[in-house]
Amino acid sequence: MVGIFANLYHFHKSDNEFKKVFDIIKENIPIKEIKGSEIYRGRGSWAKKKISPDIRDEVIEYYLKWLSSRNHKVITTAIDNVQFFNSKTNGNYKDYFSHLQYPWLLSALHIAMVVQKLNKNLKSNKGKTLLVFDEEDTFEDELQELIFNPPEFIDEFVAYDKRQEKYRLNQIIDSAYFVKSHHSSLAQIADIVAFLYKTYLELHYYGVREAYAGEKEKISKWIKSIQDKFVPYNKIYPKKNSSFIRFLNDMKAKGAEW
């Protein structure tokens, strides 16, 4: 999962720029939103209009350059689903799996914890963060409750001072909010980055073969072009020797380091 930690001072300009380019694309291709897998694989309307791979690559590269030139940060969290469900089946980490039944919930809570940590460490923090996710019918209620009333074990990831803070994750407004992705420019950018990052890990660490010669090199180049926007690895996967931190690291996908 990928989250865009937006700089609100530049958000409206970024949003307008995204929509302007999207409107140009929509004049030629009848799409409702930008989806990373559809652009890259040439599916949906991109297939119906027979848009060439070179042009689709140009669209992806435009949005990556757009992100690279903006003052936004990228939060990445990657879970090995096989490792997750094997550990759950084997009875490991029961206390955590009782709250986090599925990888999506762990990823989403992980992003919320990173946001909390980043905001708490800001010297001139002028406001809280509105946490917005792409709509997810299956897990919306569970995630909202998790963020509104998070389990105590997250204190191992981000410190909680009961005397000074009224509640955990107090840097987040209310709880999680959900939006249809075609209503959110940053949700669509996050989708592109998440797809490319997943593909990068699959090609490099999970034995997935290239669909064409040079695919691995191209995906690597794209990821490298935005890597300076990634929140530092140690902020997302700390090395602290505690049970919950071990759980996070044990569930982490192979190669999810930068």
Side-chain angles (χ1 to χ4, degrees), residues 130-185:
L130 186 67
L131 200 59
V132 181
F133 290 86
D134 190 359
E135 63 180 350
E136 170 51 65
D137 294 339
T138 306
F139 304 119
E140 286 185 10
D141 290 344
E142 288 180 73
L143 181 62
Q144 286 176 330
E145 188 59 33
L146 262 177
I147 292 176
F148 184 75
N149 187 25
E152 292 183 7
F153 58 69
I154 73 165
D155 297 352
E156 297 177 30
F157 185 92
V158 55
Y160 167 60
D161 187 338
K162 187 181 294 187
R163 292 170 300 177
Q164 297 186 20
E165 300 171 284
K166 292 183 179 180
Y167 49 90
R168 295 176 174 83
L169 300 182
N170 66 334
Q171 295 297 312
I172 293 170
I173 297 172
D174 297 336
S175 182
Y177 290 87
F178 293 85
V179 64
K180 294 180 184 298
S181 55
H182 65 278
H183 293 166
S184 169
S185 59

Side-chain angles (χ1 to χ4, degrees), residues 3 7 11 31 40 110 129 139 156 172 187 202 204 209 213-214 222 226 229 233 245 247 249:
N7 182 320
F11 173 75
I31 55 175
Y40 184 72
H110 196 177
T129 296
F139 304 119
E156 297 177 30
I172 293 170
E202 289 174 340
H204 283 269
R209 293 184 178 182
W222 283 347
I226 57 171
K229 296 297 178 183
Y233 176 77
I245 300 303
F247 169 69
N249 281 284

